[in-house]
């Protein structure tokens, strides 16, 4: 597993506003979208390309285009949906799949309740979207799901990560696949309720409101 913390003044600024409890949902959604676009720029540095011959208004030349099979973007429902538009803005030719996963707040176990993905992911570069890498259990479950279906190249984009979650992913995945974590910051720790500290709260609730 590789870790990339995207350090940039614009990223730091947007993340500070996202953390602020006074930031309303509409502003939170807008800034999360912008932040994901910046993270996607970092996370797609190794996207596969191939040569293509084109004709400019002056002459013929050889350029680059994203190689097939098309990359697959996989937001984790529901909070990952708030990252989808920012990611597909950078990868407009990518296909989009979905994984519905939820964590039991008492046992911290992860349950997969929905999926919409191709059966065979062999040769596909996959990008998982989940705002918070907290305990790491959801991310490990998502990565394993993709690996079990043939993927060997997985990049996980997160707004924030906790050291405990990164350690969990490292222990579970190790070097058996090309897995990269791209995040705006690695925070201090998890609290007793498995929330990232200082964090930004529940990303899903702040994106879409509290669901009873």
């Amino acid at each position: 597993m590789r870790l990339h913390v995207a350090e940039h003044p614009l990223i730091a600024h947007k993340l500070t506003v996202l953390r602020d409890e006074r930031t309303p949902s509409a502003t939170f959604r807008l800034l999360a979208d912008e932040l994901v676009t910046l993270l996607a720029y970092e996370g797609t540095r190794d996207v596969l390309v191939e040569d293509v011959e084109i004709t400019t208004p002056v002459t013929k030349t050889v350029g680059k285009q994203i190689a097939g099979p098309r990359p697959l973007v996989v937001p984790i429902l529901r909070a990952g949906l708030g990252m989808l538009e920012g990611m597909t803005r950078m990868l407009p030719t990518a296909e989009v799949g979905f994984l519905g996963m939820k964590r039991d707040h008492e046992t911290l176990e992860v349950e997969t309740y929905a999926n919409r993905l191709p059966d065979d992911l062999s040769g596909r570069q996959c990008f998982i979207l989940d705002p918070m890498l907290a305990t790491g259990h959801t991310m490990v479950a998502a990565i394993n799901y993709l690996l079990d279906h043939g993927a060997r190249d997985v990049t996980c984009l997160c707004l924030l990560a906790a050291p405990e979650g990164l350690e969990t992913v490292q222990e579970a995945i190790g070097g058996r696949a090309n897995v990269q974590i791209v995040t705006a910051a690695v925070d201090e720790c998890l609290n007793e309720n498995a929330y990232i500290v200082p964090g930004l709260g529940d990303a899903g609730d702040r994106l879409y409101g509290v669901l009873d």
Side-chain angles (χ1 to χ4, degrees), residues 31-97:
L31 288 175
D33 176 81
E34 294 174 353
L35 182 53
V36 170
T37 299
L38 295 172
L39 293 177
Y41 181 82
E42 298 294 332
T44 55
R45 286 184 179 274
D46 295 326
V47 71
L48 298 177
V49 295
E50 60 189 4
D51 291 339
V52 58
E53 184 177 284
I54 60 171
T55 301
T56 76
V58 179
T59 187
K60 290 186 176 182
T61 189
V62 175
K64 302 289 185 182
Q65 68 179 12
I66 294 179
R70 290 189 289 169
L72 180 67
V73 177
V74 184
I76 305 299
L77 304 178
R78 71 179 164 129
L81 287 176
M83 303 173 69
L84 180 58
E85 187 172 347
M87 185 67 189
T88 54
R89 186 179 298 116
M90 291 295 292
L91 274 179
T93 61
E95 291 185 335
V96 178

Side-chain angles (χ1 to χ4, degrees), residues 2 11 25-26 31 44 46 61 65 71 81 108-111 127 138 144 148 152 166-167 169 174 179 185 196 205:
R2 294 174 292 131
I11 291 177
S25 289
L31 288 175
T44 55
D46 295 326
T61 189
Q65 68 179 12
L81 287 176
L108 302 184
E109 293 298 318
V110 178
E111 174 189 351
F127 296 86
T138 298
N144 280 330
D148 289 345
R152 287 297 176 268
L166 292 171
E167 183 177 351
V169 176
V179 174
I196 299 176
D205 289 348

Side-chain angles (χ1 to χ4, degrees), residues 98-103 109-115 138 141-142 145:
F98 298 93
L99 274 177
M101 293 182 163
K102 61 182 180 180
R103 184 182 66 181
E109 293 298 318
V110 178
E111 174 189 351
T112 301
Y113 63 86
N115 79 80
T138 298
Y145 191 97

